[in-house]
């Protein structure tokens, strides 16, 4: 188990930030060079503590166990999701009580009498994570937030709001593969801060001896960084130059159009690399891949196309941009984070390490879509 707060993390000056911070003192603009510094420290602490929960749940309920995976009320995903979200919401609520939170998980199920066991587990895990390794100035009593409506904000433009995805990539989490604890701050439809915790990402891509567990952090206009889950070793992104050019894509076949991505990769001589969760954005931002491509899966049979959710892309998108990359939807349009919980017509995403490559990928997608369409249209 990683140490939650390494002594070096005191340099982050976390102490002052767990008290209630009046709204008038919070950043709404990007003009100051240290804009959102308070929010950044709170978000890093929240993500780090939520990662402690997900690692504990994995070790207790997933590793070497198959008996709990099938039961809905004891599923590690259910327990981990609720507990990690409770930790993040509690910390945000303490520091920024007026900020709405947009997240996937409602806590309705926790209220049901039949879920007493689940509730007790969640409370115990979250309480432990909130109280372990306290440093000066952190609270011993946080007043755990298990509010039913917490996280259910509808999103929208002209507001300051947080997005939370406590376990992004649930399949990866269960496999012991990649998953991500994701937090972002959106102000007036623009993502200004993204923090992503990836307990299973290697600290150095080429050196397994350095161990696993990273937090990725980006603030608009201030660059992107990777720190270890222990809180040490901030490295500016990108920092790794791969020999091969990889195209990152979903591991989950239902989430993306794999054949179309294959056409694009073949044309651009890219090697496909499947991975769960927003860890894909993190690998791209640090230079491990050239492109992250997400294309809407086929809607054959009249199925409505899936509408992407803001919490699945807000943190990752700012990370890529602040690392010097570019992200748009698959038609080259900007991503829209002010429409509500969903992203409307932003279907499919193209993220690249540089601008020139981005243009080439968008053009290749058009050609691939044309070919796909021609092949699927019956000949007369
Ligand atoms: P990934 O691991 O990149 O495939 O993405 C995981 C995220 O995909 C989850 O957090 C879901 O919110 C989202 N998701 C769920 N269903 C779909 C779908 N049909 N198409 C695209 N994304 C989806
Ligand atoms: Mg998600």
């Amino acid at each position: 188990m990683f140490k939650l707060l390494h002594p070096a993390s005191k340099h982050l000056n976390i102490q002052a930030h767990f008290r209630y911070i009046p709204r008038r003192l919070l950043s709404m603009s990007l003009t100051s060079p240290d804009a959102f510094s308070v929010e950044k420290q709170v978000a890093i602490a929240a993500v780090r503590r939520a990662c402690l929960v997900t690692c504990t749940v994995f070790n207790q309920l997933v590793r070497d166990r198959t008996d709990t995976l099938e039961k809905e009320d004891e599923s590690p995903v259910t327990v981990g999701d609720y507990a990690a979200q409770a930790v993040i919401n509690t910390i945000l609520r303490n520091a920024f009580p007026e900020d709405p939170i947009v997240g996937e998980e409602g806590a309705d199920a926790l209220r049901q009498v039949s879920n007493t066991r689940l509730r007790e587990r969640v409370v115990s895990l979250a309480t432990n994570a909130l109280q372990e390794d306290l440093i000066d100035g952190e609270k011993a009593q946080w007043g755990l937030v298990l509010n039913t409506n917490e996280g259910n904000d509808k999103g929208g433009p002209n507001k300051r709001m947080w997005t939370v995805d406590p376990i992004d990539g649930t399949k990866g989490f269960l496999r012991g593969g990649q998953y991500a604890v994701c937090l972002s701050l959106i102000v007036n439809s623009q993502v200004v801060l993204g923090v992503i915790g990836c307990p299973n990402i290697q600290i150095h891509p080429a050196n397994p001896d350095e161990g696993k567990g990273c937090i990725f952090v980006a603030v608009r206009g201030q660059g992107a960084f990777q720190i270890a889950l222990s809180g040490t070793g901030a490295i500016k992104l990108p920092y790794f130059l791969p020999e091969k050019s990889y195209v990152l894509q979903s591991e989950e076949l239902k989430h993306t159009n794999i054949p179309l991505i294959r056409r694009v990769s073949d044309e651009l001589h890219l090697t496909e690399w499947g991975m769960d969760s927003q860890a894909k954005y993190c690998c791209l931002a640090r230079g491990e891949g050239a492109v992250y491509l997400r294309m809407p899966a086929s809607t054959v049979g009249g199925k409505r196309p899936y509408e992407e959710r803001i919490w699945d892309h807000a943190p990752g998108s700012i990370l890529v941009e602040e690392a010097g990359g570019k992200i748009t939807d698959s038609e080259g349009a900007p991503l829209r984070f002010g429409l509500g919980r969903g992203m409307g017509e932003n279907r499919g995403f193209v993220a690249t390490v540089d601008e020139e490559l981005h243009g080439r990928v968008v053009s290749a997608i058009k050609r691939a879509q044309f070919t796909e369409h021609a092949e699927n249209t019956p000949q007369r």
Side-chain angles (χ1 to χ4, degrees), residues 10 160 191 227 262 312 321 333 372:
K10 293 190 178 176
R160 189 186 131 107
V191 188
I227 52 180
R262 187 145 305 149
D312 279 328
E321 288 176 336
E372 184 183 63

Side-chain angles (χ1 to χ4, degrees), residues 104 165 167-169 311-312:
E104 191 164 17
D165 193 349
I167 300 184
D168 181 37
W311 54 80
D312 279 328

